[in-house]
Amino acid sequence: MAEETQRSRPPLLCTECVLGLGTAYGPTLRSSPIDIYTRRRSVTEIDAQRTFLREGETPGSIFTLYSGWAYQFKQLSDGRRQILSFLIPGDSIPLEQICAPNHPLPYSVKSLTPLSVCAFDLSSIAETVHATDEQRSHMAGIMADQFTAMHRRLTDLGRRSALGRVAQLILELEQRLRNRQMSENGVFPFPVRQEHIADALGLTTVYVNRVLDRLRQDSVIEFNRSQMTVLDMARLRQIGEEE
Amino acid sequence: MAEETQRSRPPLLCTECVLGLGTAYGPTLRSSPIDIYTRRRSVTEIDAQRTFLREGETPGSIFTLYSGWAYQFKQLSDGRRQILSFLIPGDSIPLEQICAPNHPLPYSVKSLTPLSVCAFDLSSIAETVHATDEQRSHMAGIMADQFTAMHRRLTDLGRRSALGRVAQLILELEQRLRNRQMSENGVFPFPVRQEHIADALGLTTVYVNRVLDRLRQDSVIEFNRSQMTVLDMARLRQIGEEE
DNA sequence: CGGAAGTTTGAATTCGATCAAGATGGGTGG
DNA sequence: CCACCCATCTTGATCGAATTCAAACTTCCG
């Protein structure tokens, strides 16, 4: 778990991919794994800090992140940047394209760490994913979650203090990682720079540093460059709610 | 157009509803209007300031707004409120439920003005809306637009000044209303209180007032309690980009 | 005409930004 | 294996955009 920062490679066969079961196409992978496997175009390695999808493009593939972290962002003309969401192993990118292929991407995607990704043919995956009722409603559920997450983040930016936002972000990441067996007892990989937190939460690096420091002083969290530990989950939740 | 604030009633038959053609189920309404009409449960009037859908509920109907404005919002326990989006005539509420029915609503919905709405049976509309290829991809397009709008708003809250946010909001509303023939030459109905702008943009009422005043002083916009006029669209765009 | 809701203005305050310098530490090349 | 370097983190001082508090003014509606 702790070696999450190192790149690890997906198995040769999707059939044996445990992570796959938790993805957007999980139900299909379970019921007829070969349908997924035959649609895989390639397994690719991507270096850290690479913008591998750009706003405005119309990608023909969809990537499932096997290992490493990435993020979706919008870049303003004068250099300001807004991170829309972080992507962790098991996430598919760009998710919305599965439902609406051939739309130009409304954001760019950049790797945070080295990645291993599986690339699938978008249009045929899009079909697959709407083939069965179970798969369709699973997909709908994922889209609904996506909306809910955006609503939460919007509320954080609009109505919470810096402290509250940081707390909410840590909680969100812990939760998502836990769902995928990547967080245990509040300990999880954390390859995010303070600059990224700032760009995700609408703050400056300096202030994020001060907020993190405060949480550390108060023994709510503990962290270094690659790992975060939530020491006091209840307190962190309370801060997230109240601030 | 200016009498938008007064409630007007939809025609007896969906068949004759011009607004309907621009909705999520527009393609179906065009190709077989009866499919839509027979799924309409009722035509309802809703008073101003009514919270008619609440977070956590699982609505069995979907409402198409025929006249009047509403908004989706999240309420925090201590009274803070975040408006997620404004709803104008032709919008369907709650849109995401069409794709993922039976999910609890992640927000509440409140009327801004008196409304006339048409209520449709959710599950059967959900089916209809996925029946034809054209309808399916139209729906997917609308969902994609929805995501794009949220991304934009998130970027506004995270990385733009109060002035830029207000400019962007006015531009967004003008654009959406224009698409539905409700804005001409930059003049459009505007039943929104400054408090709502504040809650949508993560600001306070007092400051919104100051920002609006500045835009008025500079002859970029002109407004009163029911109508907004964009006097200098180019300048407003520039402010939206740069601030 | 009276009252409530919404708008406007002023003054004081604060949260978070900005500017500027160090401190750390992980990685690289010699 | 050490020395150096660059990215990142940290801290301090100051600034400013937006908030808060408070009060008057408008507008609309019954």
Side-chain angles (χ1 to χ4, degrees), chain B residues 176-230:
Chain B
R176 286 171 60 197
L177 290 161
R178 185 144 39 85
N179 286 342
R180 298 197 181 152
Q181 278 59 266
M182 298 179 70
S183 169
E184 266 176 80
N185 305 316
V187 184
F188 54 94
F190 198 73
V192 176
R193 304 299 98 216
Q194 297 182 1
E195 188 191 346
H196 299 114
I197 301 182
D199 282 342
L201 301 182
L203 300 167
T204 58
T205 310
V206 173
Y207 203 67
V208 165
N209 183 274
R210 287 176 172 137
V211 169
L212 285 174
D213 194 45
R214 179 163 159 202
L215 289 172
R216 178 155 54 189
Q217 300 280 332
D218 295 353
S219 303
V220 180
I221 60 173
E222 204 172 79
F223 61 92
N224 59 37
R225 271 151 202 254
S226 63
Q227 180 174 291
M228 169 77 63
T229 305
V230 178

Side-chain angles (χ1 to χ4, degrees), chain A residues 192-195 206 209-210 213 216 225:
Chain A
V192 176
R193 306 297 99 221
Q194 298 182 359
E195 187 191 347
V206 174
N209 182 273
R210 288 180 171 134
D213 193 45
R216 178 157 50 188
R225 273 150 200 257

Side-chain angles (χ1 to χ4, degrees), chain B residues 12-15 29 33-41 120:
Chain B
L12 279 179
L13 303 173
C14 294
T15 327
L29 186 59
I34 197 72
D35 272 4
I36 299 302
Y37 181 48
T38 57
R39 283 172 170 88
R40 188 168 69 177
R41 276 183 175 164
F120 297 88

